[in-house]
Amino acid sequence: MKNIFITGGNRGIGKGLVEIFSENYKVFFSARDEHKAKSVIDSIENENIDYVTMDVADEQSVLKGIESLKEKTDSIDILINNAGILIPGLKHKIDAVETDDESILKTFNINTVGVLRVCKAVLPLMRATSRIINISSGMGQMEGMSTGSVAYRLSKSALNALTIVLSQELLSKDIKVNAICPGWVQTDMGGYEATLTVKESVESIKKFALSDNFPNGKFLRHGEILPW
């Protein structure tokens, strides 16, 4: 049975991924708050699910969380870096020159550096043929880059760059790394006017994660390769 680790698994796409993968596989997820993590366990009621408490914004928290993960399993086959933020006040079209430094740095610390922290810590558990999926966004796509939400856009563009770097550096270990855009999804972050339900989005992600033709160093949406 494959072991899956999903960061930010207590709500939205993350919780949807926990639920859909646990139908067939052992799933571990992270949440910053133990109460929220336990509520996921209680609501899904599947013995294939376990959790660790971890804040990807904090290096010591990540190290402690992954040490806890190592006590629960000796291997991770698929790592899905899902944890991320979009500061609510920055959702709308606030110009870059009016965006404060703190918001940019906080977003970058979680959405980009947080992913690297987790990858560093989890890699000792990953064997050859393992896979890493970074949940990115079309808002970080350089081609067709628009305005507004500059903190989020910058963090996801940088995450895409990190994906390319890791995909090359981990090639010798036979670990493949890709970034995906989950689409515009009906979550607290995406808003409830979005075109995709969580179920539709996570079904697509699961299909891609388990695909026999899993690429390396690509940016995709619903299995289709996108330009960076």
Side-chain angles (χ1 to χ4, degrees), residues 2 4 21 25 78 131 205-212:
K2 290 185 185 298
I4 320 289
F21 274 105
Y25 305 103
I78 301 174
R131 299 173 174 186
I205 294 170
K206 181 181 180 182
K207 182 179 178 181
F208 171 68
L210 301 171
S211 169
D212 290 337

Side-chain angles (χ1 to χ4, degrees), residues 6-111:
I6 300 163
T7 65
N10 58 288
R11 63 190 178 99
I13 292 172
K15 184 179 179 182
L17 289 170
V18 170
E19 186 165 13
I20 197 166
F21 274 105
S22 65
E23 293 172 359
N24 312 99
Y25 305 103
K26 181 68 179 179
V27 176
F28 303 92
F29 73 93
S30 75
R32 286 180 294 176
D33 181 275
E34 187 167 17
H35 175 73
K36 290 178 180 176
K38 287 182 175 178
S39 72
V40 173
I41 298 289
D42 292 342
S43 66
I44 298 177
E45 295 183 337
N46 186 322
E47 62 183 15
N48 287 335
I49 302 172
D50 202 348
Y51 72 91
V52 298
T53 54
M54 184 176 83
D55 182 355
V56 302
D58 181 84
E59 182 181 15
Q60 290 307 311
S61 178
V62 170
L63 293 174
K64 185 178 178 181
I66 302 308
E67 282 305 310
S68 176
L69 181 65
K70 289 175 180 176
E71 293 172 2
K72 300 170 184 288
T73 183
D74 60 2
S75 66
I76 293 296
D77 299 289
I78 301 174
L79 165 62
I80 302 179
N81 287 301
N82 167 74
I85 62 165
L86 170 56
I87 296 173
L90 302 180
K91 272 188 179 182
H92 307 294
K93 291 194 176 295
I94 298 173
D95 288 349
V97 294
E98 295 177 2
T99 304
D100 62 278
D101 290 3
E102 184 182 353
S103 295
I104 294 172
L105 294 171
K106 180 180 179 181
T107 305
F108 197 89
N109 185 40
I110 293 172
N111 292 4

Side-chain angles (χ1 to χ4, degrees), residues 160-173:
N160 287 353
L162 175 63
T163 299
I164 296 172
V165 171
L166 289 174
S167 71
Q168 295 177 54
E169 292 182 349
L170 299 181
L171 201 55
S172 62
K173 299 180 185 293

Side-chain angles (χ1 to χ4, degrees), residues 205-224:
I205 294 170
K206 181 181 180 182
K207 182 179 178 181
F208 171 68
L210 301 171
S211 169
D212 290 337
N213 299 311
F214 193 77
N216 188 45
K218 302 298 182 185
F219 183 32
L220 306 99
R221 182 188 294 119
H222 309 316
E224 298 295 321

Side-chain angles (χ1 to χ4, degrees), residues 97-164:
V97 294
E98 295 177 2
T99 304
D100 62 278
D101 290 3
E102 184 182 353
S103 295
I104 294 172
L105 294 171
K106 180 180 179 181
T107 305
F108 197 89
N109 185 40
I110 293 172
N111 292 4
T112 312
V113 184
V115 171
L116 181 56
R117 289 188 188 104
V118 173
C119 287
K120 286 180 185 178
V122 175
L123 270 171
L125 290 170
M126 303 190 81
R127 302 169 293 197
T129 73
S130 296
R131 299 173 174 186
I132 297 174
I133 296 173
N134 297 327
I135 304 295
S136 186
S137 169
M139 290 177 70
Q141 192 173 3
M142 298 297 288
E143 181 170 295
M145 179 67 74
S146 187
T147 59
S149 302
V150 70
Y152 188 76
R153 290 185 186 280
L154 290 177
S155 71
K156 293 301 187 178
S157 292
L159 176 59
N160 287 353
L162 175 63
T163 299
I164 296 172

